[in-house]
Amino acid sequence: MKYASVKGERREAQPKLYGICPNCDREVVAKCGQQRIWHWSHLGKLECDRWWEPETKWHRTWKAVFPQEWQEVMHTAADSERHIADVMNNRGWVLELQHSPITPEERLSRERFYGSMVWVVDGMRYKRDLAAFRQVVENGSIISDSPLRISSPLTARAGIFRRWAPIHWPVFIDFGDEEFRIAGFPPPEHVLWQLQLVPRTGDVVVAPVIRESFKRWFGLDGGALQHLVALRPEQPPRRRYTGGRPPFLPRARPRRRF
Ligand SMILES: [Zn+2]
């Protein structure tokens, strides 16, 4: 955990500090070593939230995008089950940051527990996920221009797609600064890769979202989520496309939830 209570104050881990876990009220100790990111750990090593995973720099970078009071929010269900949401915004939406794979059962129980939620998945956890995703994005077919959506028969075989389908709540895969090309062109801005379900076929397709718009959308502004759109040469084409200008430019889309 990033935060614990020290003498009634919410504090980050610092060497030699002891605190109280906000979830179970037991004592926690600050772990400030070289190997792992500084964090709070329960005495006796037993974490009280079975859904909790050891935090990485990736988790912390994402949490830090949002206000401090939105990070690590206790959530208690009617049957008094308690969990710590990675981020919960001022509209009651939970953002779960998932670095390690989880079973479909666990995923479903979290979705039921939190209700309105969004997943951001660390795509860089496994090399094979990056390779499989790249195949889909770079060799798949564009099935719609606005939003730009990419489909490929390979999604049925790739682990990262199988693990995250079916989709009940929005799922975004984060490949950090990895560079991809869509139809030969790099996206004009950093993107997250949203997985979307096509209800008619049950296929999962990829819809790139501008990363900064995701932060605003989930954040204080509550702005619109901006998907990439494909701009094609005007009809009828009089000149051959000679390159130079990428055909993909972000454009604001009408406001929609996801
Ligand atoms: Zn605890």
Side-chain angles (χ1 to χ4, degrees):
M1 285 180 299
K2 180 175 174 185
Y3 295 108
S5 168
V6 179
K7 294 183 185 138
E9 220 180 292
R10 203 164 190 245
R11 299 266 312 261
E12 291 192 37
Q14 290 288 330
K16 298 186 184 152
L17 270 190
Y18 283 82
I20 300 293
C21 167
N23 194 45
C24 66
D25 292 331
R26 284 183 303 185
E27 200 171 12
V28 286
V29 57
K31 295 282 170 115
C32 306
Q34 306 272 325
Q35 299 280 319
R36 277 186 45 197
I37 205 148
W38 288 10
H39 64 282
W40 292 100
S41 174
H42 290 76
L43 295 177
K45 300 230 183 284
L46 249 183
E47 295 303 323
C48 61
D49 186 344
R50 64 192 159 81
W51 290 349
W52 197 254
E53 61 172 336
E55 281 193 294
T56 59
K57 193 160 178 284
W58 177 80
H59 285 98
R60 290 289 175 88
T61 307
W62 265 110
K63 283 183 183 177
V65 167
F66 304 104
Q68 203 211 90
E69 62 274 21
W70 292 11
Q71 304 173 30
E72 299 186 356
V73 177
M74 299 311 122
H75 212 84
T76 311
D79 63 358
S80 74
E81 184 173 343
R82 299 178 75 165
H83 292 288
I84 308 167
D86 286 327
V87 182
M88 186 159 94
N89 72 13
N90 55 351
R91 275 105 57 206
W93 279 72
V94 166
L95 170 59
E96 280 287 272
L97 300 163
Q98 197 58 36
H99 170 72
S100 311
I102 57 171
T103 62
E105 294 76 24
E106 186 182 331
R107 182 180 160 205
L108 205 57
S109 55
R110 284 205 222 179
E111 291 177 340
R112 289 201 179 117
F113 181 79
Y114 289 126
S116 309
M117 67 170 299
V118 173
W119 294 96
V120 173
V121 178
D122 186 357
M124 299 302 282
R125 178 74 173 78
Y126 295 115
K127 271 210 173 89
R128 62 173 181 270
D129 284 342
L130 174 61
F133 209 87
R134 196 181 288 290
Q135 281 281 327
V136 166
V137 166
E138 304 202 342
N139 302 319
S141 347
I142 293 178
I143 57 161
S144 77
D145 285 358
S146 180
L148 173 62
R149 294 193 300 171
I150 304 160
S151 175
S152 162
L154 296 174
T155 54
R157 291 214 304 271
I160 192 162
F161 288 93
R162 280 194 282 109
R163 289 202 301 278
W164 287 96
I167 292 155
H168 317 109
W169 294 102
V171 175
F172 301 87
I173 315 285
D174 179 9
F175 283 102
D177 291 331
E178 275 305 313
E179 287 178 8
F180 290 82
R181 296 175 88 79
I182 306 169
F185 293 92
E189 293 189 53
H190 286 299
V191 296
L192 290 174
W193 305 91
Q194 184 176 10
L195 302 190
Q196 290 185 342
L197 188 71
V198 180
R200 192 170 46 80
T201 59
D203 291 340
V204 176
V205 298
V206 179
V209 168
I210 293 169
R211 182 183 283 259
E212 288 307 311
S213 86
F214 175 89
K215 294 176 184 174
R216 288 193 298 270
W217 171 69
F218 196 83
L220 277 169
D221 303 3
L225 202 55
Q226 284 179 288
H227 286 89
L228 291 193
V229 296
L231 301 181
R232 304 217 176 229
E234 283 176 19
Q235 296 297 331
R238 292 186 186 282
R239 280 187 299 165
R240 276 171 62 88
Y241 178 66
T242 53
R245 183 171 167 222
F248 303 109
L249 292 172
R251 182 199 289 163
R253 302 197 65 238
R255 178 183 281 257
R256 46 183 268 184
R257 190 121 214 165
F258 51 81

